[in-house]
Amino acid sequence: MKVNFARMYRDNALKRPDKLALVNTERKREFTYKELDLFTNKICHLLTDHFQLEKGDSYAALLENDNMSFLNFGPYKTEVAGVWLNYRDNLTEHLYQIDYVKPKVIFVEDAVLLKDGYLKELNNRGIRIVCMDRSDKEHEKVEYFWDIIKGQSDAHIDTEYDIDEHVILYRFTGGTTGRGKCAMYTFRNIFGTIVQNHSIPDNIYREDTKFLHMTPMTHATGAFAPPTHMKGGTNYTINLPDLELLCKTIQEYGITATFAVPTLLYRLEELGLHDKYNLSTLDCILYGASPMSTSKLETLQNKFGNVFVQGYGSTEAFPPVLSLRKKDHIIKTAEDRKRLSAAGQPLLGVDVFVADPEGKEVPVGTIGELWIRSDSVIKGYKNAPEETASEFENGFWKSGDLGYVDDKGYFYIVDRKKDMIITGGFNVYAVEVENAVNSHPDVSNSVIIGVPNEEWGEIVHAEVVLKNGSQATEQEMIDFVAAKLPKYKVPKSIVFVDELPTSTVGKVLRRHVKEKYWKDTFRKVH
């Protein structure tokens, strides 16, 4: 089946030509739907006419959210593929990903070119460089976006491509358990996540939606921009996960929805910003990307109201594929409190089940691996046939997440396969222990790992970040968890740290903590 996305994009703009489509709050730019349609036509002509890119070619984007917002959706009008690079990664990681996909053009911020190594390395690779905003320093062999976009046509693009076969986007997995793999997206995948987002029962996406993108648009929040656009809402961007700026922006623009990872939400509550700013227009906070502590979620619910919606997904299954609705966050009974730890129920068009090691569905309540199939699930990884064959089967993606489903169709994630701790023959799921530790009133965040032990193979170990001014002791923490969990799940050792290592999108990097304890051992279970 063929798709003419440019026509779909234009027809969406014709319905509401003068409606505000995009606001870059830090750069003070606004685009109506008509203006954004014409402007993204210019970008497409820049790619195909100025740079002479064709089907099979790609361009890379190494940008902050304000500038990334132009390349998030509109360039799908062409047959040229995008490569989304995380602005907060380092030079080594960026060059690895660039060398892997080999884009012919890269769009970058001036601040990137001012860093050591970038300009030289990009020029050495023969990549044409487009700098989005000028500074006082003029860079050699660099073109400037606002200079070259002026001369481009805004004429309608009339390109069709195969909805299932043509790759329009490359993104790398987060690499929390190793080096990221290169996911390939077709238009079917992008359209699938739009449908799944629109099917969330809480009616997040409306014509009056004002969705604020704070975390990188190259990651999870990027999945929420197209559904906002196709419903006639307005996308807003800020460039850094600055919580004070987030609250100021919500208050100033009357933001109705945003996305945040759990670590940011914990900090938001600790800072008390909900008391300092008027956040009353905010009727949805989508959260995901990593597990949320149920006790902290309950605290957030009490502070911010019934505005939380969980979206479960991944790079391979563009989010969300499961959703925990607002009404699922209301706690009246012990059963309600337990449900708060669920990842959610499947959304429209999502086929998910819990599998045993042979890929057979297991009974309700039995732990296994979640297998997921939907239009938003990619077909595989670029140039990685063995990894693709290992992780995909019959259209299903084998998520690597261990969990179970209850008799009401709620899926619960208990751990990642690689994060399960085996101590004295018992299986301990790190997420369960983290939830217990995080429920202590003095704890800001924690990570649970298995560390080597001659007698038990592994023992449960915790690294804990305390809230400012808190003085909890190791024994106090162990006793607290012992009152909640069986003895074999209780941490045998606890180290208090100032911060936990996190990825550039806020996920705790468990493997970085584990490496401190396993680097000199022969058996590396992580």
Side-chain angles (χ1 to χ4, degrees):
M1 173 180 162
K2 299 280 190 178
V3 63
N4 187 321
F5 174 62
R7 186 157 53 227
M8 294 169 64
Y9 197 98
R10 181 197 63 194
D11 289 347
N12 189 51
L14 289 173
K15 296 176 187 177
R16 46 187 71 88
D18 300 321
K19 174 79 169 23
L20 203 56
L22 176 64
V23 178
N24 303 140
T25 64
E26 293 191 53
R27 286 178 171 83
K28 305 300 181 185
R29 294 188 297 238
E30 296 183 353
F31 295 84
T32 65
Y33 271 80
K34 179 180 180 180
E35 289 169 343
L36 191 58
D37 179 41
L38 296 175
F39 187 68
T40 52
N41 284 347
K42 282 177 167 282
I43 294 174
C44 291
H45 283 292
L46 180 71
L47 294 171
T48 58
D49 301 345
H50 181 79
F51 290 117
Q52 298 291 301
L53 300 185
E54 301 175 341
K55 181 178 180 180
D57 292 335
S58 63
Y59 65 91
L62 180 51
L63 300 171
E64 295 178 318
N65 280 353
D66 276 1
N67 286 325
M68 185 65 212
S69 64
F70 303 147
L71 302 179
N72 176 270
F73 198 37
Y76 299 161
K77 297 174 182 180
T78 74
E79 291 185 287
V80 183
V83 185
W84 290 1
L85 305 175
N86 187 346
Y87 187 70
R88 295 165 199 162
D89 277 340
N90 58 34
L91 175 62
T92 300
E93 188 64 24
H94 288 147
L95 293 179
Y96 166 76
Q97 295 179 6
I98 288 168
D99 290 341
Y100 197 95
V101 184
K102 295 180 172 56
K104 293 186 175 180
V105 177
I106 186 168
F107 295 84
V108 299
E109 303 288 353
D110 180 73
V112 171
L113 299 180
L114 292 173
K115 294 179 181 178
D116 288 342
Y118 274 91
L119 187 58
K120 177 183 177 182
E121 293 290 351
L122 294 174
N123 279 326
N124 285 345
R125 286 161 172 77
I127 301 172
R128 295 182 70 173
I129 303 168
V130 181
C131 182
M132 297 300 290
D133 297 304
R134 283 185 181 274
S135 68
D136 294 335
K137 182 176 175 57
E138 195 80 10
H139 304 289
E140 292 184 10
K141 298 182 180 179
V142 171
E143 298 177 79
Y144 289 87
F145 178 79
W146 296 102
D147 292 344
I148 59 177
I149 199 70
K150 290 177 184 176
Q152 303 308 311
S153 169
D154 63 7
H156 175 66
I157 314 296
D158 193 24
T159 298
E160 293 190 347
Y161 49 74
D162 192 283
I163 194 171
D164 292 306
E165 299 301 326
H166 178 62
V167 175
I168 59 173
L169 174 64
Y170 297 102
R171 292 172 68 236
F172 283 79
T173 60
T176 54
T177 58
R179 182 144 242 171
K181 301 180 285 287
C182 184
M184 302 183 293
Y185 296 83
T186 64
F187 188 81
R188 174 83 68 184
N189 301 141
I190 303 303
F191 190 72
T193 199
I194 293 173
V195 171
Q196 288 159 207
N197 270 280
H198 286 175
S199 73
I200 295 174
D202 292 296
N203 195 26
I204 299 168
Y205 304 98
R206 312 174 301 270
E207 286 210 344
D208 65 344
T209 292
K210 297 180 177 182
F211 200 110
L212 177 60
H213 302 276
M214 167 187 61
T215 58
M217 291 193 78
T218 50
H219 287 65
T221 195
F224 309 128
T228 299
H229 186 86
M230 297 308 287
K231 275 285 188 178
T234 307
N235 285 299
Y236 291 76
T237 59
I238 57 177
N239 294 319
L240 292 171
D242 181 314
L243 296 177
E244 190 96 20
L245 178 59
L246 169 72
C247 294
K248 285 180 181 178
T249 306
I250 293 170
Q251 178 175 278
E252 179 179 352
Y253 291 94
I255 298 298
T256 65
T258 193
F259 169 80
V261 296
T263 49
L264 289 176
L265 289 174
Y266 300 162
R267 187 66 180 145
L268 185 64
E269 186 272 326
E270 288 172 20
L271 292 172
L273 296 175
H274 52 285
D275 294 324
K276 184 177 178 181
Y277 293 94
N278 180 4
L279 308 180
S280 60
T281 59
L282 195 62
D283 62 28
C284 178
I285 299 177
L286 270 163
Y287 66 93
S290 61
M292 173 82 88
S293 162
T294 53
S295 63
K296 293 190 180 301
L297 183 53
E298 192 170 350
T299 299
L300 286 162
Q301 182 87 346
N302 291 333
K303 296 286 177 66
F304 290 88
N306 189 36
V307 299
F308 291 94
V309 175
Q310 181 178 185
Y312 169 85
S314 71
T315 304
E316 292 88 347
F318 219 22
V321 292
L322 305 176
S323 177
L324 196 67
R325 301 160 293 180
K326 289 181 185 177
K327 73 174 188 178
D328 295 325
H329 289 74
I330 299 173
I331 302 170
K332 294 181 180 178
T333 67
E335 184 180 359
D336 294 337
R337 184 165 282 105
K338 181 180 186 302
R339 189 184 57 235
L340 208 59
S341 65
Q345 294 174 310
L347 292 169
L348 181 66
V350 176
D351 181 6
V352 56
F353 72 98
V354 181
D356 67 14
E358 284 71 48
K360 304 296 184 183
E361 187 169 7
V362 301
V364 167
T366 303
I367 292 175
E369 182 181 14
L370 268 66
W371 284 29
I372 303 165
R373 182 168 60 187
S374 82
D375 281 348
S376 75
V377 172
I378 66 170
K379 293 195 295 184
Y381 305 115
K382 181 177 176 62
N383 298 334
E386 292 183 2
E387 289 174 308
T388 297
S390 172
E391 295 193 24
F392 296 85
E393 185 174 321
N394 194 28
F396 283 96
W397 174 56
K398 306 173 188 179
S399 71
D401 282 336
L402 297 174
Y404 65 93
V405 62
D406 69 11
D407 58 2
K408 292 182 174 62
Y410 288 92
F411 285 81
Y412 292 77
I413 309 300
V414 297
D415 219 337
R416 293 285 298 170
K417 268 185 174 181
K418 293 182 178 181
D419 293 338
M420 188 173 70
I421 302 162
I422 303 176
T423 178
F426 290 98
N427 292 346
V428 176
Y429 299 107
V431 171
E432 180 184 14
V433 185
E434 284 169 0
N435 282 337
V437 173
N438 287 342
S439 67
H440 191 287
D442 288 337
V443 172
S444 175
N445 204 359
S446 69
V447 64
I448 300 296
I449 61 169
V451 298
N453 179 271
E454 289 187 6
E455 181 177 359
W456 302 102
E458 295 178 89
I459 59 171
V460 180
H461 172 76
E463 297 211 346
V464 176
V465 180
L466 294 175
K467 294 180 180 178
N468 289 339
S470 298
Q471 300 293 326
T473 66
E474 180 182 22
Q475 191 58 51
E476 178 188 346
M477 196 67 62
I478 290 173
D479 293 342
F480 178 83
V481 177
K484 295 177 174 291
L485 297 176
K487 185 177 180 180
Y488 69 91
K489 297 182 180 182
V490 177
K492 300 295 187 292
S493 59
I494 294 177
V495 172
F496 296 103
V497 296
D498 292 333
E499 61 181 5
L500 297 172
T502 59
S503 71
T504 52
V505 294
K507 291 185 182 182
V508 174
L509 294 172
R510 194 187 306 273
R511 65 184 172 91
H512 285 194
V513 180
K514 294 179 78 169
E515 283 169 0
K516 295 188 297 184
Y517 300 94
W518 289 93
K519 63 182 179 180
D520 296 322
T521 63
F522 175 73
R523 173 175 168 266
K524 296 183 182 294
V525 299
H526 65 294

